Amino acid sequence: MMTSADQAGTNGQTAMQTPPGGSPQDWEAARQQLLVKEKAHTRARDALAAERRRMPWMEVAKTYAFEGPGGKVSLADLFQGRRQLIVYRAFFEPGVFGWPDQACRGCSMVADQVAHVAHLNARDTTLVFASRAPQADIARLKKRMGWTMPWVTITDSFDADFGVDEWHGTNVFYRDGVRIFRTYFVKSRGDEQMGGTWNYLDITPLGRQEVWEDSPKGYPQTPTYKWWNWHDSYTEGATPDKKWVEISDAGEKAFRQEAAEGRD
């Protein structure tokens, strides 16, 4: 039987060089070989996040001002009372392709991927998008696209000072009382994976804040899985649901057993 890839070749197009067919045993053997590399990749990613949590912090001495839905706000205000702040510089302003109806296509792809921010908020982290478009245009765009993350207007040199005046990028900040520190920055290909809760937490100075993480002494850490919740059910100071603790304990026990036997 002629495959679709073979058929493409007969139509004057370059045929796809697809992998060979194989038995279920061949497929499983190949999957197990790849799984070894995937596990190594996961462990290397965790080690990289641990190293990131030990980077030096750069104090932000300059004052910055933004426009939000309610008026002027400072960089400190963007934290919304939390300790960690992630700011994504999205290009939505005059001169950007799509203006004034749409933001940059790449930045819009990032916005479409953003997970519900309640999960970040539960880890003492705030996510904010920032552009140079006026608030009226930002509000209109958010409503049209169904985006709900906080989105402020840059009014000064914030973008130029933090490496995002000519390209998109994600800056991470930490608030210690009245002092604010820049702790991390990622852009270009490194920026395209952003959007998921775990990827965002992995670039913060406190990480996921679970007990399995390699973090400096004294960093906040809670039992694995126990803080997870439905995005509309997080309650400040609430203890984990007893039933969820039982379920997550059982799941973690099974996972650890598989890991010990080399089956994870």
Side-chain angles (χ1 to χ4, degrees):
M1 174 179 287
M2 182 178 290
T3 67
S4 59
D6 294 331
Q7 185 65 47
T10 65
N11 292 335
Q13 300 175 0
T14 301
M16 289 176 56
Q17 299 299 309
T18 58
S23 67
Q25 293 77 19
D26 292 335
W27 184 91
E28 183 59 30
R31 190 189 79 87
Q32 290 298 330
Q33 289 179 355
L34 189 60
L35 186 58
V36 172
K37 297 179 180 180
E38 290 175 337
K39 290 179 181 179
H41 175 74
T42 298
R43 296 187 182 103
R45 185 183 63 204
D46 290 340
L48 189 61
E51 185 174 349
R52 190 182 292 121
R53 289 191 288 276
R54 290 167 170 82
M55 279 184 57
W57 294 359
M58 182 189 79
E59 186 163 9
V60 179
K62 191 172 178 178
T63 299
Y64 295 97
F66 306 84
E67 286 290 335
K72 185 171 291 187
V73 290
S74 66
L75 180 61
D77 293 329
L78 298 188
F79 284 80
Q80 297 179 12
R82 302 183 182 96
R83 282 191 287 184
Q84 300 191 130
L85 171 67
I86 302 170
V87 181
Y88 176 73
R89 203 292 195 209
F91 278 87
F92 180 45
E93 58 200 54
V96 170
F97 177 69
W99 174 265
D101 298 321
Q102 294 286 10
C104 157
R105 291 188 180 186
C107 295
S108 297
M109 282 280 287
V110 173
D112 275 336
Q113 297 180 87
V114 172
H116 202 290
V117 297
H119 303 296
L120 290 175
N121 297 164
R123 293 280 90 176
D124 211 4
T125 304
T126 300
L127 172 68
V128 174
F129 274 43
S131 299
R132 285 196 169 271
Q135 277 297 298
D137 293 303
I138 290 174
R140 172 177 48 78
L141 179 66
K142 288 177 62 178
K143 182 178 180 180
R144 173 180 176 176
M145 301 299 289
W147 297 329
T148 59
M149 74 287 284
W151 198 319
V152 297
T153 301
I154 301 169
T155 66
D156 49 32
S157 61
F158 174 85
D159 47 4
D161 290 350
F162 292 102
V164 287
D165 55 327
E166 297 180 351
W167 198 240
H168 63 81
T170 303
N171 277 283
V172 184
F173 301 91
Y174 185 87
R175 182 178 60 84
D176 183 9
V178 297
R179 301 174 71 190
I180 295 175
F181 299 87
R182 186 192 194 195
T183 64
Y184 189 65
F185 173 60
V186 63
K187 65 175 183 177
S188 302
R189 285 291 306 279
D191 208 30
E192 68 183 15
Q193 67 173 332
M194 293 295 105
T197 301
W198 306 125
N199 284 337
Y200 276 132
L201 290 177
D202 283 347
I203 66 171
T204 64
L206 299 182
R208 304 186 187 191
Q209 302 165 52
E210 295 187 342
V211 294
W212 62 270
E213 284 184 300
D214 176 10
S215 292
K217 184 178 180 180
Y219 274 44
Q221 291 186 315
T222 59
T224 308
Y225 310 133
K226 304 302 184 292
W227 66 274
W228 297 7
N229 211 336
W230 298 290
H231 73 250
D232 63 349
S233 300
Y234 285 108
T235 302
E236 185 176 357
T239 57
D241 181 86
K242 182 179 179 181
K243 184 62 177 178
W244 173 238
V245 170
E246 295 173 355
I247 292 172
S248 60
D249 278 347
E252 185 174 9
K253 182 179 179 180
F255 169 75
R256 299 302 177 193
Q257 182 64 32
E258 286 190 358
E261 298 173 356
R263 297 186 292 113
D264 66 319

